[in-house]
Amino acid sequence: MNLARRTMNHPALAAVYERAWRPTLFYLASGRTTTSDRRDAVRALRLDGAQRVLDIACGPGNFTRHLSDALTDGGYAIGLDYSEPMLARAVADNAGPRVGYLRGDARVLPFADGTFDAVCCFGALYLIPDPIAATREMIRVLAPGGRIAITTSYRADSPFGAVSRVFGGRIGLRVFDDRTFPELFAASGLVDVEQDVHRLLQYVSATRPA
Ligand SMILES: C[S@@+](CC[C@H](N)C(=O)[O-])C[C@H]1O[C@@H](n2cnc3c(N)ncnc32)[C@H](O)[C@@H]1O
């Protein structure tokens, strides 16, 4: 297990992740606040009703609970992660009437095809050993008419980007170009593919045709 994955499994990180680690590192990487990322996640997934939501690599549930707050009626959000310390924090800090947490591997999802109306993965594809397999799994469990949204690393063409590539490679963080995910989404039959780049991060979303 590389340094980045070991760090994510550490109880000390789980304890500070939501309040300190994520807001600081993601602000430095993208210039965006957690509040903006949460608001735009709800918008990108078009949450407003009784939708079934799957939040892959949910960490301490810092997005899962917020996503569930946008749901009504029988809607619910499931957060899936493989780290026990992260899931323990999710249950302690981000429980709610429409939220559940599950331990699992993003590369082999324990759900039937088309189970969810919205599937997301924020800040994790660069940690997963086979990010393309994990993304294909997300698409597999997405229902017709459903929305998918990811946030991951971006190989910025700048001195800062070059440093991030070298540093990322050393600790086991993958850095993606701006074609991999839009092309994978389009090749998988998804439509309305949108991509926004903010410094070292990319935000990509799409729809599975009804
Ligand atoms: C940086 S946290 C992201 C948390 C949250 N989604 C966010 O955007 O702040 C990355 C999470 O990915 C999880 N993770 C990494 N590889 C995974 C895998 N193969 N399956 C499930 N979770 C994984 C880690 O345990 C960690 O909790």
Side-chain angles (χ1 to χ4, degrees):
M1 199 185 273
N2 63 40
L3 179 60
R5 284 164 65 80
R6 278 205 308 277
T7 306
M8 285 297 143
N9 260 318
H10 202 286
L13 177 67
V16 299
Y17 182 83
E18 180 170 2
R19 287 177 194 278
W21 181 280
R22 197 208 203 257
T24 306
L25 290 189
F26 277 65
Y27 185 75
L28 289 175
S30 65
R32 290 172 55 84
T33 63
T34 302
T35 304
S36 315
D37 278 349
R38 284 177 171 156
R39 184 198 58 219
D40 287 353
V42 169
R43 209 177 274 165
L45 293 170
R46 299 184 187 155
L47 302 182
D48 62 0
Q51 288 134 311
R52 303 157 295 174
V53 180
L54 179 62
D55 182 14
I56 299 288
C58 64
N62 50 320
F63 276 74
T64 324
R65 207 235 345 236
H66 185 78
L67 298 176
S68 78
D69 288 343
L71 304 173
T72 60
D73 305 316
Y76 59 83
I78 293 179
L80 178 141
D81 203 287
Y82 73 44
S83 161
E84 285 183 32
M86 285 290 191
L87 289 171
R89 289 260 46 113
V91 170
D93 299 342
N94 284 306
R98 299 180 189 281
V99 190
Y101 295 102
L102 179 70
R103 185 154 189 246
D105 188 332
R107 296 168 295 179
V108 205
L109 295 177
F111 302 109
D113 297 359
T115 301
F116 294 94
D117 304 301
V119 182
C120 58
C121 180
F122 303 133
L125 283 168
Y126 42 70
L127 291 167
I128 297 175
D130 191 344
I132 302 303
T135 309
R136 288 191 201 285
E137 275 291 86
M138 293 173 67
I139 296 169
R140 179 183 68 75
V141 301
L142 187 61
R147 293 281 297 167
I148 185 169
I150 63 166
T151 303
T152 192
S153 51
Y154 167 64
R155 191 188 300 171
D157 190 14
S158 67
F160 196 31
V163 171
S164 84
R165 282 201 293 284
V166 173
F167 180 69
R170 291 261 161 82
I171 65 168
L173 285 182
R174 204 173 292 220
V175 185
F176 299 100
D177 60 31
D178 58 356
R179 297 188 317 278
T180 299
F181 291 104
E183 286 180 4
L184 177 60
F185 284 178
S188 304
L190 305 185
V191 296
D192 299 336
V193 180
E194 285 179 24
Q195 181 182 49
D196 287 314
V197 169
H198 296 277
R199 294 187 190 161
L200 302 178
L201 293 184
Q202 57 181 306
Y203 299 69
V204 192
S205 61
T207 302
R208 181 166 194 164

